[in-house]
Each structure stands twice: as C-alpha cells, then as structure tokens.
Amino acid sequence: MKRFTPSATQKSRQATLILGFLLVMSFLFILFQGGKLASMLFVILSLLTVYLVLGKWSGIRQAEAHREIMTADGTERIQAGQSIQIKLRIHVPGVWPIPYLLVKDEMIRGNKEKMGMKGSVVLNWMRKGEFVYKTPPLRRGHYSMKKAEFATEDVFGLYEHTGTVDLPYSFVVHPQTIEIRNWAQFSHSPRGSRHHSVTARMQRETTQINGVREYIHGDRLSRIHWNATARTGNWRSKEFERETLPKMVIIIDRARSSYRAQADFELAVSAAASLLQFGAQRNIAVGLLSSGKDTYMALPKTGTRQAEILMDHLVEVEADGSRTLQQVISNTKELFSPGTLVIFVTPRRGTDTLALLHSAEKQRMLACHLCAESIKDASTDRWMREIHKQGFMGYAIQSLTDLPAALGGAQPYA
C-alpha cells in the first residue's frame, strides 16, 4: 500500500486550520475564564501567528542568484564522461530570519532527459550563501539550465515559502576524443598495384609555404618556423602546399541492430570524432556520412568551420537507424571520388562489410574498416587477419585509448 505524503500546500492548509482553531479557542478561554494563564496562552499564540504570517515576506520571492560552471581542467570544452562543478551564489534580501534555504537546480539534456540537483544552504549574516554540487559523468549532447528554485520553512516546519530565479544557460558536451599523433598506413604509400601511389601524391608537399600551423610531435627541425615561434612563445611549424589535397570520408554505422550495447556506439562516435580531429589538424578534406532516422551527408572539405559543423553533428547522433550501410551508401555516390580514404566505423563483420570494402576498391578508393567493439573475441582477430590478407586497412579497438596505438603501430596489411 502506497503511503500518503501531503504536499507543501496541503501541509500549510492543515497548519492554518489548526492554528486558527487554537487561536479562537484561546480567545474564548480568556473571554470566559480570564486569568493569567488564559492571557499568557493567548499572547503566545498571537505572537506565533504573527511570526508565521510575516514569514511570507521573508524575501525569498525576491531572491537573487548567479550560476558559475567550472570544469575539472579549467577549460571551456566539455567532453563526454567529464563531470562539471556548478556553483550557485545566492542572496536573499530582507531582514526576516531564515533558518535554512532549500535549493533545487535542474539540467535538461536535449528536450527529454532531466537531471535535478537538490540541497540546502545556511545563509550568513548578510543573507548570502553558496550551493555547490558536482554532476555525474555527462553524456555527449546539448544541455540547458533554465531556473533555480528556492524554498524556506519556518522553525516549526509548518509553512513553506518558495521563489524562483531565471538563470538561462546552455552548454555542449562534445564526444570524447583522443589525440592521434601518427597514422602509419595513411602517411605512407600502400604497396602493390591496387592503390598505386594515391596516398603518396596526397602527402607529397611542394616547396611553397602555405602558412603556419601548430607544431605536431615528430615535425623535423627544418619545418619549424623560428620567427613565429619566437613571436608567440609556442612552437610553430611551416605549412606547405600539397600536390593533391587528401580526402577522407568517415561513414558511421547508426543501425540499432549493429550494436550490442550503448557503450559500443559511444565508442564508435568517439573514434569518428578523433579521426575528424586528426584530419582537421593536418589540413585533410574530411567528409561525413551517418544515417539513422535522418541521413546526414557532408562532402569533404578543409577548414576549421567544416570540422566544427561535423563535430556538432556528432554531438547529437544516436543509434536509431534501421537501414544497413549498403542501403545508405547506394544513395550517396556523389560523396566518393578516386583516391579518397573511406573509413567504415562499424562493429559489423562478415560478407556484407567485405563487400563494402571491395566496392570501394573497385572505385579506386582506399578502404578502411574500424571495428569499434568493447568486447573482443577470437572472431575479431580472425576478421582482421582476413581483411589484411586481402589488402585492406583494418583496426579493432575495445576502448578509445587503443586507437592511437592501433593507427600509429599498424601492422602491414598487404
């Protein structure tokens, strides 16, 4: 049987009836009986009534607040899996005593998931206080915070007075990424007659300087731009024009049936975001294809703006599709061109995935399968050996930290 718990309004109504009854009875007592006892009882109940009534003007309705968001590392960029610390600075105007303040703050992910934080604050003599709390690890997505709610009670807990403060704030939790310093097979020309020297032409640079970029670990001393380094205080390297602009297309499998757990899909999204970051840092034209309830396609382009647009899409993607990759790709032929590196990010293995790799090869593209699956078994190793034997790039990762080692220490595949 469910226990009945009265609401704050019901408790206040009950307290008003009881207090009114006692006040009337004490008045009748002093009216018909008289004496010191009756007078003292009436005075005490009258003072109690005045105290409870004046609590309505405690200033809680005019409460002021300011919200501060702090990350653990002090940066503004928040990645999935991180917790943030939120501080509410509160000031309640007025002079009427407030024993304590109840605080409720709410965070909304997208338009669905709500996360409420509750606590209490004891105000100082200036009627100011701070409510600090830490969120659990956040999922990627867009978050919004609208209003903070405050409540206080009298010392007897009979009446509750509330107030709200509008504090609109929004922030984005980006997919978790990891730095990829080197991709061995992408940086060197594949051997054999399949791919000729496409990658070599893409990576070959002219002697024409195209600008200055951040120093990347492994850059030769001859590439360092000493004047820019001395001027900024940070290492800078020369950027040279390339003979052919390299292109990369990342294809994310968003079919619900492809993933055994939500963690596997989050791993796939984080791996795709890391590859996107790798391409943006090296001036590679990056495109993206993902198809769930809605299909999103972006042609390969370079530039910071392109990377931001693609990353914004990865913030919101979900494994909500029903179509296979073969069905998705059949309607997006314009996304592919000879020499493009096509990366299939999917845990699916077998003849269907092998057919995708061969189809890309026939169109003179470089095909790569990134198998993102948190649980590794013997079939995964057999699958990797099979696609390596047939001359395709293939990597299996169980966590995001495996990605740099898999790409940087890649085994020969041909």
Side-chain angles (χ1 to χ4, degrees):
M1 185 176 180
K2 187 176 181 180
R3 185 178 178 181
F4 173 73
T5 303
S7 64
T9 304
Q10 292 173 329
K11 287 174 59 178
S12 299
R13 188 178 295 116
Q14 293 173 0
T16 301
L17 292 175
I18 295 173
L19 186 62
F21 175 76
L22 293 175
L23 191 61
V24 170
M25 295 304 294
S26 66
F27 176 74
L28 294 176
F29 186 38
I30 194 175
L31 185 64
F32 293 104
Q33 180 66 31
K36 291 183 178 180
L37 178 62
S39 300
M40 184 178 298
L41 184 61
F42 180 74
V43 170
I44 291 174
L45 286 173
S46 298
L47 291 176
L48 177 60
T49 303
V50 171
Y51 165 74
L52 294 176
V53 170
L54 290 180
K56 187 176 181 180
W57 290 273
S58 61
I60 189 68
R61 295 181 184 277
Q62 289 78 39
E64 303 168 353
H66 174 69
R67 185 188 286 119
E68 295 179 3
I69 309 292
M70 294 165 286
T71 57
D73 54 4
T75 60
E76 294 183 358
R77 185 182 178 85
I78 307 172
Q79 289 193 1
Q82 288 185 337
S83 298
I84 60 174
Q85 182 174 288
I86 300 177
K87 180 187 293 186
L88 280 173
R89 298 183 184 272
I90 307 165
H91 174 233
V92 181
V95 295
W96 197 252
I98 297 178
Y100 58 88
L101 197 65
L102 300 175
V103 183
K104 179 182 178 182
D105 205 11
E106 191 174 67
M107 182 185 304
I108 304 174
R109 179 180 179 268
N111 297 319
K112 299 178 181 179
E113 301 178 23
K114 293 185 179 181
M115 185 187 308
M117 305 294 175
K118 298 180 180 179
S120 61
V121 176
V122 177
L123 304 179
N124 59 21
W125 64 275
M126 297 180 64
R127 296 170 67 88
K128 294 182 178 181
E130 291 184 354
F131 176 57
V132 182
Y133 64 92
K134 190 176 182 180
T135 67
L138 300 175
R139 291 180 57 199
R140 58 184 173 79
H142 291 89
Y143 289 78
S144 62
M145 307 179 74
K146 295 182 180 179
K147 63 181 180 180
E149 300 179 4
F150 306 109
T152 186
E153 297 178 340
D154 54 76
V155 293
F156 305 103
L158 298 177
Y159 290 92
E160 182 181 83
H161 309 286
T162 60
T164 60
V165 179
D166 289 327
L167 298 171
Y169 186 83
S170 61
F171 61 93
V172 178
V173 178
H174 296 87
Q176 188 177 3
T177 59
I178 192 168
E179 183 182 4
I180 302 172
R181 292 187 174 181
N182 181 42
W183 186 347
Q185 290 179 330
F186 183 70
S187 301
H188 298 87
S189 173
R191 304 300 179 187
S193 59
R194 274 192 173 92
H195 308 297
H196 308 288
S197 300
V198 175
T199 306
R201 289 197 304 272
M202 291 190 301
Q203 296 297 326
R204 191 180 300 140
E205 296 173 335
T206 66
T207 58
Q208 183 67 34
I209 296 178
N210 192 34
V212 180
R213 60 166 171 79
E214 292 282 345
Y215 172 82
I216 298 175
H217 180 75
D219 283 348
R220 300 187 304 274
L221 287 176
S222 59
R223 292 193 66 115
I224 296 177
H225 197 294
W226 297 106
N227 291 338
T229 300
R231 185 171 59 254
T232 62
N234 296 318
W235 289 98
R236 294 289 188 271
S237 296
K238 302 172 186 176
E239 182 71 27
F240 296 96
E241 291 184 357
R242 300 174 187 268
E243 290 186 5
T244 305
L245 191 65
K247 292 182 180 180
M248 176 194 301
V249 174
I250 303 170
I251 302 176
I252 306 176
D253 186 359
R254 288 173 54 191
R256 188 181 294 106
S257 59
S258 298
Y259 299 92
R260 289 184 289 188
Q262 178 66 27
D264 289 348
F265 181 70
E266 294 299 325
L267 176 60
V269 174
S270 296
S274 301
L275 292 171
L276 170 61
Q277 184 174 271
F278 169 82
Q281 291 174 347
R282 286 156 180 79
N283 197 34
I284 299 173
V286 182
L288 180 67
L289 175 63
S290 73
S291 180
K293 287 184 178 180
D294 300 316
T295 300
Y296 179 85
M297 182 182 69
L299 297 176
K301 293 181 182 178
T302 59
T304 305
R305 180 56 182 164
Q306 170 78 350
E308 292 175 352
I309 293 174
L310 299 187
M311 194 65 76
D312 286 342
H313 173 73
L314 294 180
V315 167
E316 291 291 347
V317 293
E318 297 291 346
D320 52 10
S322 58
R323 297 191 299 166
T324 63
L325 283 181
Q326 288 86 347
Q327 295 171 327
V328 173
I329 293 174
S330 62
N331 298 324
T332 55
K333 298 296 184 181
E334 66 274 16
L335 190 62
F336 309 108
S337 60
T340 301
L341 172 62
V342 182
I343 308 170
F344 300 98
V345 184
T346 175
R348 281 188 179 272
R349 306 183 295 271
T351 56
D352 291 343
T353 303
L354 194 59
L356 288 174
L357 299 175
H358 281 294
S359 176
E361 179 192 31
K362 289 178 182 179
Q363 300 178 56
R364 295 184 297 163
M365 295 184 291
L366 304 177
C368 173
H369 178 209
L370 180 59
C371 183
E373 198 171 24
S374 57
I375 300 176
K376 183 180 180 180
D377 52 31
S379 63
T380 305
D381 291 332
R382 289 196 299 270
W383 168 252
M384 287 295 122
R385 286 195 296 269
E386 175 64 23
I387 63 175
H388 290 169
K389 186 189 303 182
Q390 299 196 33
F392 299 111
M393 299 186 198
Y395 311 95
I397 60 172
Q398 287 74 56
S399 67
L400 190 59
T401 54
D402 296 338
L403 186 59
L407 300 182
Q411 298 178 354
Y413 65 95

